[in-house]
Amino acid sequence: MATKRKVNNLLALAVLSVIVQRPMHRYEIAATLRAQGKDRDMDIKWGSLYTVVQNMAKAGFLEVVGSEKEGARPERVIYRITDAGRAEMADWTRELLAEPEPEHHRFTAGLSILAILPPDEVIDLLGTRVARLEETIARIRSDLGALSLPRLFLVETEYGLAMLEAEARWARALREELVAGTFDALDQWRQWHADGMPAGRAPAERSED
């Protein structure tokens, strides 16, 4: 079960993961997060950065160690990670690696109401999805091949690639079943749309009258 955390926002973990390198002000934190691609790995809402940093300081995970002022720019407060912040970062990372947790996926939402569309349209849509997934997979493979970083710093990209490949295989197989006509209750699904049944009623819910 996920731990109830003082700052329960993955942006906080992202901040800890970069500020552990050296003390930084908020603008440097944001620039480092972008440079290291953390916004590709975590759901980062940049507008929340100020609030998250403030809350982490209140929670004792960060502390102010100074400030700097450059020209007419506002004074920039510099933070560093505390021992409590290091412990929080390590504990949170352990939880994320060890504890599976349900995650909502837009594709799952679409599949859950698949029946509202006719089978032939679903075939076309799945074909489009597979093609786009294959383009993304090819681009990621190319990017990985061009990088010279140790694998330790690429495992999240490897995982993302594996998930995309698995999704593409599954979606391709589903489409092939629909094209071949071997998908269970496909005839009833087609007839349901041919009969103009009201949206929201699945084929299995049809009455016998």
Side-chain angles (χ1 to χ4, degrees):
M1 182 180 294
T3 302
K4 185 173 178 59
R5 301 190 178 278
K6 293 180 180 178
V7 187
N8 193 23
N9 181 328
L10 280 177
L11 177 54
L13 181 60
V15 169
L16 291 172
S17 75
V18 297
I19 205 170
V20 71
Q21 301 168 32
R22 63 183 182 280
M24 300 180 186
H25 51 68
R26 285 186 295 110
Y27 301 97
E28 190 176 6
I29 290 171
T32 306
L33 286 169
R34 287 191 175 96
Q36 297 185 2
K38 287 293 185 287
D39 51 342
R40 294 193 302 269
D41 306 325
M42 302 183 190
D43 183 18
I44 291 180
K45 294 178 174 59
W46 296 107
S48 302
L49 181 59
Y50 177 82
T51 301
V52 166
V53 169
Q54 292 291 101
N55 289 341
M56 290 169 69
K58 289 179 183 177
F61 300 145
L62 301 178
E63 64 183 0
V64 176
V65 292
S67 63
E68 65 179 36
K69 185 170 176 59
E70 187 176 322
R73 292 178 177 175
E75 186 175 50
R76 294 176 172 179
V77 178
I78 300 171
Y79 298 88
R80 73 179 173 195
I81 193 169
T82 64
D83 288 343
R86 290 175 185 271
E88 176 73 358
M89 178 175 60
D91 183 66
W92 204 342
T93 303
R94 291 187 186 103
E95 178 186 296
L96 290 173
L97 292 175
E99 297 292 337
E101 193 171 312
E103 297 182 52
H104 297 294
H105 195 295
R106 287 167 54 87
F107 187 38
T108 305
L111 291 171
S112 72
I113 53 174
L114 185 71
I116 69 170
L117 299 177
D120 290 337
E121 184 177 358
V122 171
I123 289 171
D124 290 340
L125 293 170
L126 288 174
T128 299
R129 186 179 193 90
V130 169
R132 290 176 178 171
L133 284 170
E134 288 173 342
E135 290 174 3
T136 302
I137 289 166
R139 176 179 53 78
I140 294 174
R141 283 177 177 164
S142 176
D143 291 345
L144 279 173
L147 295 173
S148 57
L149 292 171
R151 189 180 177 201
L152 175 62
F153 302 108
L154 298 173
V155 289
E156 72 279 13
T157 305
E158 284 187 14
Y159 172 77
L161 179 60
M163 294 301 99
L164 289 173
E165 290 172 337
E167 181 182 323
R169 283 194 301 271
W170 188 89
R172 192 182 299 111
L174 175 59
R175 183 178 184 278
E176 289 170 356
E177 282 188 68
L178 294 173
V179 170
T182 57
F183 186 82
D184 184 51
L186 181 60
D187 290 340
Q188 292 93 320
W189 183 4
R190 290 188 191 281
Q191 191 61 47
W192 181 55
H193 282 276
D195 291 346
M197 296 296 289
R201 289 186 63 188
E205 297 174 330
R206 293 182 62 193
S207 65
E208 296 301 323
D209 54 19

